[in-house]
Amino acid sequence: MITMEDIVREGHPALRKVTDEVTLPPADEDRDTLKNMLEYLKNSQDEQMCDRYGLRPGVGLAAPQINVNKRMLAVHFTDLNDRLYSYGLLNPKIVSHSVEKTYLSTGEGCLSVDREVPGYVPRYRRITVRATDLEGNDLKLRLKDYAAIVFQHEIDHLHGIMFYDHINKDQPFKEPDGAKPVD
Ligand SMILES: OCN(O)CCCc1ccccc1
Ligand code: NI
């Protein structure tokens, strides 16, 4: 099982690499890795597992965070309308997005960042993502608000981008133009 020891922290070069696409159908090793990433998220949202294994709760995890240079990510969360998003995704790609922006009013954190980095992280309010799931299905996900934020955070990791790269250096809490916050 994946624990915090497997998660690399900022400064590790893996977090600044652009990942390689996964050849499809995925090799068993890739599928197992992705399943383990999804398992980590579920474990991290269970209090007993957290206490027993010292896990930090997470709603998403990208392969570079466990030092795997592959374009794959896992998410496990319910959005504000109680829709469950639980996926292991191969080669996810944002194929379209709104001009309109959003941001998490609490700011963002990251399992690979052991410090608070205050500030708003501007994100697209709506995105469409194409990807392949663990069963080999081609998915087209239309996401907005919180779900869009989580997916953008994870897809950024696949391109070596950290959430704080987006924070306005001079005015971290400047509301992004015309953006509607997710509270
Ligand atoms: O890369 C995943 N990760 O570090 C866990 C935190 C995920 C996350 C946190 C805040 C807003 C969006 C996504
Ligand atoms: Ni992260």
Side-chain angles (χ1 to χ4, degrees), residues 97-108:
H97 61 77
S98 61
V99 171
E100 189 182 9
K101 297 272 178 77
T102 185
Y103 61 95
L104 208 49
S105 55
T106 57
E108 296 186 14

Side-chain angles (χ1 to χ4, degrees), residues 8-71:
V8 300
R9 310 301 156 91
E10 57 181 326
H12 191 294
L15 294 172
R16 288 304 190 181
K17 286 202 182 103
V18 176
T19 51
D20 299 328
E21 288 221 335
V22 178
T23 44
L24 301 176
D28 289 351
E29 184 194 12
D30 295 339
R31 274 158 44 90
D32 291 347
T33 300
L34 194 44
K35 282 179 181 168
N36 286 334
M37 289 164 58
L38 191 49
E39 207 51 46
Y40 174 85
L41 297 176
K42 292 174 183 173
N43 290 341
S44 81
Q45 293 171 30
D46 175 296
E47 201 163 336
Q48 271 122 342
M49 292 297 278
C50 267
D51 294 346
R52 190 177 315 150
Y53 296 102
L55 308 180
R56 254 187 79 186
V59 293
L61 189 64
Q65 293 183 275
I66 53 169
N67 198 14
V68 169
N69 183 348
K70 299 244 178 176
R71 192 155 301 180

Side-chain angles (χ1 to χ4, degrees), residues 60 65 109-112 153-154 157 163:
Q65 293 183 275
C110 184
L111 291 172
S112 296
H153 179 114
E154 304 314 332
H157 274 304
F163 73 91

Side-chain angles (χ1 to χ4, degrees), residues 170-183:
D170 309 321
Q171 295 174 285
F173 289 100
K174 176 178 175 296
E175 187 152 271
D177 292 348
K180 184 175 174 297
V182 170
D183 297 323

Side-chain angles (χ1 to χ4, degrees), residues 81-93:
N81 302 323
D82 280 341
R83 184 202 190 293
L84 174 66
Y85 291 86
S86 188
Y87 294 103
L89 296 181
L90 299 154
N91 305 324
K93 180 177 169 62

